[in-house]
Amino acid sequence: MTHHTTSTDTTTPVAASATAPVAETRPVQRTHHGITVTDDFDWLRDKDADDVLAHLHAENAYTESLTADQQPLREAIFAEIKSHTVETDLSVPSRRDGWWYFARTEEGQQYAIHCRVPASDTGDAEADWTPPVIERGVALDGEEVIFDANREAEGTAFFALGGLAVSRDGTLLAYAVDTTGDERFTLRVRRLDTGEELGDVVENVSYGLAFDPTGERIFYMVPDDTWRPYQLWTLNLGGESELLHQEDDPGFWTGFDLSAERDQLVIGSGNSEVAETWILDLTDPTARPERLVSREHQMLHSIDPVRLDGAPHYLVTHDRDLATQNPAPNNMVSVVAAEQITDPSAWRTVLPHSPTVKIDGVHPNRTHLMIAARADTTPRTLILPLSELPAERSAGHPCPTEPRFGEELYSAELASAPFDSPFIRLAYSSWVTPDQVLDYALATGETLLRRATEVPGYDPNQYLVERWWAPAESTDRRVAIPLTVIRHRDVEWNGSNPCVVYGYGSYEASMDPGFAASRLSLLDRGVVYVVAHVRGGGELGRAWYDQGKKLHKKNTFTDFVDATRFVASSGWVDPDRIGCMGGSAGGLLMGAVLNLAPELYRVCVAQVPFVDALTSILDPDLPLSALEWEEWGNPIADEQVYRYMAEYTPYENVRAVNYPAIAAMTSLHDTRVLYVEPAKWVQQLRRTITSDQATPLRDGGSPVVLRTEMDGGHGGASGRYRSWEERAWEYAFLLTGLGLDVEH
């Protein structure tokens, strides 16, 4: 590890005339439950207005001016990320039908190049499903480029794929492209033998594409005006599109998946609390969706078709035993003959409910059942032969096996389980182990390493990972908050080390172990990196999520504050040099904790932050707002929810005290968290807080800046190099705020 000190070099001074943009106040009022709130900056939501665009450009200019001295550090971090990345690289081929599909990346290119080579069928299953060994920059015999995203992205400032599907016979490619960042895609179809674009074009589609077995139909989703996927359509090639299914409840999201045998389409509608499932027989072009499990059961569930002894069955992952009405918040798995799906008394328990292991879903192939589970905070894959599934309700429960690994904190998730393959593919990673692609032999239990991501200049032995548990002092000391603490081996227990605390804590999303080469730029500078697995996430099962949503949402924020205080008192870090970072709902977390305990932090990066949550959720016409009621509650209908949210929504609770330096990152075309939220928040912060905002961060000030990506979406700019530039910008801001050398 290289040790660094604060630099006093001022070779890149900030212009003395740099002043923060001040948005005009144009008061508007909203009234709910007899409570009137005045909003001075809501006019900033009109992104097509010249004055709004001018304001955002002025904010960008101010941000760049005030942080210009960080440019050498940004360049250094970008170079470090680049140095730890093999730019010309490739993925492990995955077999589908008669082809091996894989992707290459090339030095200097922003996007992946999707390729394939023919597969063989020799009758030796192990040989036929062993991927070909490919080399960087070396084409295989028969290799075809099926989609070069770099070529497709030429002339666009933003480029993202919403789906890529090949017909079963390998002749047609369906793809969906977004060139603005608003996550509304255009579907097109191309012949792979000639490159000819067919005349079938559909605008405004959502994520996900699938061919039927004949290759004559393509299934896709369409979003409504609030960006909620609600219609399932089929495009009949050379003909018209046909609506197959529509979800009218504005609080339900809809999507689909192919069954393991790819002869059925499983259609799911629901939210975080209830679901409904339909099935579509793809072997019959006249078939219509058939409902399997109704929302009337008020049960979260998912369904996977499977054949047992040649007879059609369904595997059901569900959070309530319908026969007994007993809750199963961490889910259980049942199996039932297809014709008995509507009779809960016929469901046979495969895996009972466990208070310590959360089952997230299952996936069958011809011989085995793979179970996505979460134990001890981390994702695992469990494996069970189909032959062991119970034939009677009274039968005992089978015991699945689990591949074992040498680390305590790791992710081992199912990447694919092709129906006829003797292998399943696992994606393995940890906080210090770069991504690995593993094939697990179902017959023998042998784990085969197909690829270990190469990280030049990286020695995993130089980094340590620990699990700490912080008491939830603000709410209940009996609650222990899991923390992941990552540091360089050379960091000493002397109370002088800088620290960054990261968190999310919503939607039952877990911050799982995963390697990030960019994180090395913090660790190598002596930063102690902490992930606070606060309530509202899913790390400790459904109860951990339920304790951080709706009228328990404040637990998310107090957990993060308690975690920070615990880390500050650990003896490992300097309490005066702690930064925090989070994005989207994690940006809401940032805004809320800064209002609760601004004195704990020296610097904050809030990425696409959901900081005006109450205003957004009060408007059901905004993107996804109605769907959010299952996460936060419905403040329109429920006064208690309104008052509770009003107490924590960041924009409305900024205080006249000193705050840390803050960088709010957003994108003009983000459809999930509108740019107007951080734009308004920054204005409210600047006019309310008492910190020294005029002095640059490097000189000890606490500026509040807004940086808007004018060509990006919720994930920021597209392309890997632009993504590295964004991360370098964020880390440079954090490191400068933590008093580290800005040039190295």
Side-chain angles (χ1 to χ4, degrees):
M1 182 183 69
T2 302
H3 295 279
H4 302 274
T5 58
T6 302
S7 170
T8 57
D9 182 14
T10 56
T11 56
T12 313
V14 175
S17 60
T19 57
V22 178
E24 182 181 343
T25 57
R26 303 178 191 175
V28 296
Q29 292 185 331
R30 70 158 195 257
T31 301
H32 291 272
H33 308 293
I35 303 168
T36 298
V37 174
T38 300
D39 189 339
D40 287 337
F41 304 116
D42 201 61
W43 63 273
L44 289 170
R45 73 174 55 253
D46 185 2
K47 71 176 183 179
D48 296 321
D50 290 343
D51 51 357
V52 172
L53 291 174
H55 175 78
L56 296 177
H57 283 298
E59 288 279 18
N60 281 348
Y62 171 71
T63 296
E64 193 54 39
S65 176
L66 198 65
T67 63
D69 58 330
Q70 297 169 26
Q71 184 60 26
L73 180 55
R74 294 174 203 151
E75 292 173 358
I77 295 172
F78 180 89
E80 291 162 9
I81 298 172
K82 192 170 185 287
S83 73
H84 291 309
T85 305
V86 177
E87 296 177 74
T88 297
D89 209 351
L90 44 96
S91 64
V92 177
S94 297
R95 181 166 180 172
R96 293 194 300 278
D97 302 308
W99 298 85
W100 289 100
Y101 292 88
F102 57 98
R104 293 186 184 273
T105 56
E106 295 184 356
E107 184 174 358
Q109 299 287 337
Q110 292 274 17
Y111 305 100
I113 303 168
H114 299 267
C115 309
R116 69 178 182 180
V117 293
S120 299
D121 289 304
T122 66
D124 181 340
E126 184 172 326
D128 292 343
W129 286 93
T130 297
V133 177
I134 55 180
E135 300 179 34
R136 298 187 187 101
V138 179
L140 287 174
D141 290 341
E143 181 174 329
E144 298 178 8
V145 173
I146 64 170
F147 192 85
D148 184 345
N150 301 287
R151 182 176 300 172
E152 304 290 339
E154 289 178 359
T156 66
F158 181 91
F159 182 86
L161 276 172
L164 200 66
V166 179
S167 60
R168 295 286 294 272
D169 64 5
T171 63
L172 296 175
L173 173 74
Y175 62 99
V177 168
D178 167 24
T179 57
T180 64
D182 63 2
E183 298 181 85
R184 293 178 183 269
F185 301 88
T186 299
L187 165 61
R188 292 186 171 88
V189 186
R190 177 179 299 167
R191 290 196 61 87
L192 287 173
D193 54 352
T194 65
E196 174 193 1
E197 296 285 336
L198 303 187
D200 303 280
V201 178
V202 184
E203 303 284 352
N204 192 39
V205 308
S206 191
Y207 291 98
L209 302 172
F211 277 96
D212 78 344
T214 69
E216 296 174 355
R217 295 186 295 168
I218 300 171
F219 301 96
Y220 62 93
M221 295 298 304
V222 169
D224 64 10
D225 290 340
T226 68
W227 195 80
R228 174 184 68 99
Y230 80 120
Q231 289 181 333
L232 170 65
W233 289 75
T234 178
L235 170 61
N236 301 299
L237 294 181
E240 298 296 324
S241 287
E242 177 185 5
L243 177 63
L244 291 177
H245 181 78
Q246 177 168 313
E247 175 53 63
D248 292 323
D249 189 328
F252 272 44
W253 182 296
T254 303
F256 65 83
D257 283 303
L258 287 169
S259 64
E261 294 190 66
R262 294 185 290 170
D263 59 353
Q264 298 177 83
L265 203 68
V266 183
I267 307 161
S269 293
N271 51 42
S272 64
E273 298 183 344
V274 63
E276 181 169 273
T277 302
W278 300 64
I279 199 83
L280 177 65
D281 181 3
L282 299 184
T283 65
D284 179 1
T286 66
R288 306 297 297 180
E290 174 187 353
R291 184 163 53 194
L292 298 180
V293 177
S294 169
R295 68 193 70 191
E296 294 177 359
H297 291 298
Q298 290 294 297
M299 179 180 69
L300 269 178
H301 68 273
S302 60
I303 292 181
D304 293 88
V306 65
R307 288 189 178 274
L308 301 178
D309 297 326
H313 285 67
Y314 293 119
L315 291 157
V316 189
T317 305
H318 51 113
D319 71 347
R320 184 157 52 91
D321 187 332
L322 288 183
T324 64
Q325 295 303 310
N326 290 328
N330 279 344
N331 291 334
M332 57 190 295
V333 178
S334 298
V335 64
V336 61
E339 68 272 11
Q340 295 179 298
I341 183 67
T342 58
D343 178 11
S345 67
W347 293 17
R348 308 188 296 274
T349 300
V350 177
L351 296 174
H353 177 261
S354 166
T356 58
V357 178
K358 170 77 184 303
I359 299 171
D360 290 323
V362 302
H363 183 92
N365 68 4
R366 186 180 293 279
T367 59
H368 285 74
L369 175 64
M370 278 54 71
I371 301 120
R374 180 173 298 278
D376 299 323
T377 76
T378 58
R380 316 288 180 84
T381 298
L382 312 181
I383 301 164
L384 184 67
L386 292 180
S387 60
E388 295 185 13
L389 298 189
E392 304 290 340
R393 277 187 60 85
S394 59
H397 304 131
C399 183
T401 60
E402 178 187 353
R404 293 294 180 177
F405 304 96
E407 297 181 270
E408 176 190 5
L409 301 177
Y410 64 87
S411 299
E413 298 183 271
L414 183 68
S416 66
F419 188 69
D420 291 310
S421 175
F423 305 110
I424 62 169
R425 182 155 293 175
L426 301 176
Y428 180 90
S429 185
S430 81
W431 299 106
V432 295
T433 301
D435 296 349
Q436 296 179 355
V437 177
L438 307 173
D439 276 356
Y440 178 88
L442 292 168
T444 65
E446 182 183 9
T447 299
L448 304 169
L449 176 63
R450 300 301 192 193
R451 180 179 186 269
T453 300
E454 182 182 346
V455 182
Y458 171 66
D459 178 2
N461 295 317
Q462 296 303 306
Y463 304 89
L464 300 175
V465 181
E466 296 176 338
R467 168 54 44 84
W468 295 358
W469 296 88
E473 299 277 5
S474 301
T475 53
D476 185 346
R477 280 190 54 86
R478 294 170 298 179
V479 173
I481 308 157
L483 309 180
T484 298
V485 182
I486 315 166
R487 58 183 170 86
H488 195 282
R489 183 178 292 276
D490 290 347
V491 166
E492 298 178 359
W493 187 42
N494 58 16
S496 67
N497 303 299
C499 175
V500 170
V501 186
Y502 174 84
Y504 187 77
S506 293
Y507 302 107
E508 204 175 357
S510 299
M511 301 299 101
D512 291 328
F515 181 80
S518 59
R519 194 186 301 129
L520 300 178
S521 292
L522 299 179
L523 300 176
D524 288 348
R525 289 172 170 80
V527 172
V528 177
Y529 191 91
V530 178
V531 181
H533 303 280
V534 294
R535 281 177 283 184
E539 286 88 347
L540 291 176
R542 181 72 184 194
W544 196 247
Y545 169 50
D546 287 339
Q547 293 170 25
K549 66 181 294 192
K550 291 189 172 179
L551 295 178
H552 302 290
K553 188 63 203 171
K554 291 180 186 177
N555 287 336
T556 302
F557 315 135
T558 56
D559 279 2
F560 193 89
V561 169
D562 290 340
T564 303
R565 290 192 171 118
F566 183 81
V567 170
S569 64
S570 68
W572 281 101
V573 308
D574 181 348
D576 294 326
R577 289 206 296 164
I578 298 177
C580 57
M581 181 168 63
S584 196
L588 164 66
L589 173 63
M590 294 299 99
V593 302
L594 294 187
N595 288 339
L596 282 174
E599 71 281 358
L600 292 180
Y601 307 99
R602 176 67 189 93
V603 59
C604 171
V605 170
Q607 304 151 312
V608 288
F610 187 41
V611 283
D612 193 18
L614 184 54
T615 300
S616 293
I617 296 174
L618 283 168
D619 186 350
D621 294 327
L622 287 179
L624 304 180
S625 283
L627 289 166
E628 300 287 353
W629 295 338
E630 300 304 324
E631 180 73 18
W632 317 97
N634 184 346
I636 300 174
D638 191 326
E639 181 178 350
Q640 183 183 13
V641 170
Y642 180 96
R643 291 182 178 276
Y644 186 81
M645 291 190 69
E647 291 173 357
Y648 71 71
T649 188
Y651 177 58
E652 298 179 21
N653 288 280
V654 176
R655 298 192 286 136
V657 297
N658 287 342
Y659 276 55
I662 300 170
M665 319 291 289
T666 189
S667 294
L668 182 63
H669 301 296
D670 191 344
T671 55
R672 302 185 186 224
V673 178
L674 300 185
Y675 73 90
V676 67
E677 297 200 26
K680 291 165 56 175
W681 181 52
V682 163
Q683 290 297 309
Q684 185 67 13
L685 284 164
R686 286 197 190 128
R687 73 174 181 176
T688 306
I689 65 177
T690 58
S691 317
D692 174 8
Q693 302 173 52
T695 301
L697 182 58
R698 187 179 188 181
D699 296 331
S702 297
V704 176
V705 298
L706 174 69
R707 188 169 189 258
T708 303
E709 172 58 57
M710 305 304 286
D711 298 307
H714 192 62
S718 66
R720 56 177 174 165
Y721 295 106
R722 292 185 68 188
S723 175
W724 296 350
E725 289 171 355
E726 283 194 355
R727 185 49 48 91
W729 198 100
E730 294 163 354
Y731 281 1
F733 192 85
L734 284 170
L735 290 168
T736 303
L738 295 175
L740 295 173
D741 188 327
V742 299
E743 292 192 29
H744 302 289

